[in-house]
């Protein structure tokens, strides 16, 4: 189980996360929606302390990290338990698909290289890229690059995978294959926290949709409820624009 308590983040004078409380059950798929600039990316980044919150705490399993007194070792352990998939893939350009997937296992989990490469090959097969092990990112399509990005997160066997608009940088033709891989993970009950504008994915795959505005969770519930009968005016306005 993952628990965020009172998670608060400020940039200068503006409070970007205003005391976020959230419990994510194991195997739960949560989609976060909301207007631009509302703190969705910051929320994900604070979950694994890519961005350090000013207040609050993050619990993943038996590890609780307090914003105000997080030690370096705790943050590293938190990052081991939470994997991140970025909008722009963030692959190493000078490493092959296989090496990109193996890198974290070697550097963060201290696995010997042969073991990491074996795991990376298994993952490549699962993401449908067994034949691209030795390809460099520049020679892969956007969809293939993002599948490698997701493969890297899968390899880590993290408690939760955090996705920040994983299809937003993709040409439309590649969106479905990436969403398909995410659906496959959801079917395997990989715990996921996903920021996306793909409302179809939210409707079909999410157990819970969270609408954020102004650094707060305004409304949440099963997609059927939030989409068809939003309670808050702000949710209604937002959905009117995107649905
Ligand atoms: P979008 O849908 O456009 O991706 P978002 O909901 O992900 O938006 P965030 O990226 O979390 O929004 O940003 C929330 C607010 O925090 C914005 O006003 C943004 O300008 C500000 N912000 C984010 N990162 C920083 C930073 N490193 N320094 C200063 N301000 C920041
Ligand atoms: Mg964002």
């Amino acid at each position: 189980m993952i628990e965020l308590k009172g998670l608060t983040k400020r940039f200068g004078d503006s409070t970007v996360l205003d005391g976020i409380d959230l419990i994510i059950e194991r195997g739960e798929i949560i989609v976060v929606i909301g207007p631009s600039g509302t703190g969705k990316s910051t929320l994900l980044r604070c979950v694994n302390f890519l961005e350090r919150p000013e207040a609050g705490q993050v619990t993943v399993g038996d590890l609780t990290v307090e914003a105000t007194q997080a030690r370096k070792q705790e943050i590293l352990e938190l990052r081991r338990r939470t994997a991140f998939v970025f909008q722009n893939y963030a692959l190493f350009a000078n490493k092959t698909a296989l090496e990109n997937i193996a890198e974290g296992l070697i550097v963060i989990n201290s696995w010997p290289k042969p073991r990491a490469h074996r795991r990376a090959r298994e993952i490549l097969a699962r993401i449908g890229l067994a034949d691209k092990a030795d390809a460099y990112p520049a020679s892969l399509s956007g969809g293939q690059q993002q599948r490698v990005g997701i493969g890297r997160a899968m390899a880590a066997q993290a408690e939760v995978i955090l996705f920040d608009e994983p299809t937003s940088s993709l040409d439309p033709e590649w969106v479905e294959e990436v969403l398909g891989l995410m659906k496959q993970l959801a079917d395997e009950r990989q715990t996921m926290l996903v920021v996306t504008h793909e409302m179809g994915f939210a409707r079909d795959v999410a157990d819970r949709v969270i609408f954020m505005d102004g650094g707060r969770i305004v409304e949440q519930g099963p997609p059927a409820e939030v989409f068809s009968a939003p309670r808050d005016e702000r949710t209604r306005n937002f959905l009117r624009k995107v649905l």
Side-chain angles (χ1 to χ4, degrees):
M1 189 192 74
I2 293 147
E3 181 168 19
L4 315 180
K5 249 193 209 164
L7 216 54
T8 302
K9 178 71 191 173
R10 296 184 196 92
F11 288 116
D13 290 342
S14 73
T15 300
V16 174
L17 292 184
D18 194 4
I20 299 282
D21 295 318
L22 180 63
I23 290 177
I24 306 171
E25 301 295 343
R26 181 180 291 253
E28 200 178 11
I29 319 298
I30 297 187
V31 166
V32 180
I33 60 172
S36 182
T38 222
K40 304 180 300 294
S41 296
T42 305
L43 173 66
L44 294 194
R45 296 171 67 82
C46 281
V47 169
N48 71 353
F49 278 59
L50 274 178
E51 208 71 77
R52 185 152 185 159
E54 265 88 41
Q57 62 182 46
V58 176
T59 299
V60 180
D62 59 3
L63 174 74
T64 294
V65 185
E66 301 266 357
T68 49
Q69 52 204 34
R71 283 174 294 133
K72 200 172 162 204
Q73 282 309 318
E74 290 177 330
I75 293 175
L76 287 176
E77 180 56 28
L78 182 64
R79 295 209 179 127
R80 257 180 228 126
R81 297 180 186 207
T82 56
F84 213 110
V85 174
F86 298 91
Q87 180 175 344
N88 62 359
Y89 333 134
L91 301 178
F92 298 109
N94 61 343
K95 291 189 188 297
T96 63
L98 178 106
E99 289 165 345
N100 264 284
I101 292 172
E103 180 72 7
L105 297 173
I106 296 167
V107 174
I108 300 175
N109 298 48
S110 309
W111 284 23
K113 198 167 160 182
R115 181 178 173 208
H117 280 205
R118 270 200 307 279
R119 163 64 66 73
R121 280 191 199 283
E122 287 166 23
I123 299 280
L124 281 165
R126 281 175 64 198
I127 63 178
L129 293 175
D131 55 337
K132 297 291 184 186
D134 299 324
Y136 287 90
S139 70
L140 298 174
S141 74
Q144 290 170 335
Q145 288 184 58
Q146 188 58 300
R147 277 150 66 197
V148 172
I150 294 171
R152 184 170 55 182
M154 289 162 65
Q157 292 193 304
E159 305 253 350
V160 61
I161 302 182
L162 311 166
F163 294 82
D164 193 4
E165 300 201 28
T167 59
S168 294
S169 297
L170 295 172
D171 290 337
E173 59 196 303
W174 309 125
V175 169
E176 277 312 314
E177 69 180 51
V178 170
L179 292 178
L181 176 55
M182 292 170 66
K183 279 183 193 150
Q184 185 183 315
L185 285 178
D187 287 342
E188 295 165 11
R189 300 322 291 177
Q190 163 70 55
T191 312
M192 293 160 54
L193 184 59
V194 184
V195 175
T196 184
H197 297 296
E198 293 290 338
M199 295 299 149
F201 177 86
R203 198 188 287 271
D204 294 347
V205 180
D207 298 305
R208 184 161 33 136
V209 170
I210 288 181
F211 175 74
M212 275 182 74
D213 198 12
R216 294 187 185 179
I217 294 175
V218 169
E219 179 161 359
Q220 57 180 311
E225 267 174 36
V226 173
F227 288 142
S228 56
R231 290 185 299 270
D232 194 282
E233 182 59 30
R234 288 164 289 181
T235 319
R236 282 198 288 275
N237 275 333
F238 176 78
L239 291 174
R240 211 172 289 136
K241 286 177 205 140
V242 299
L243 285 183

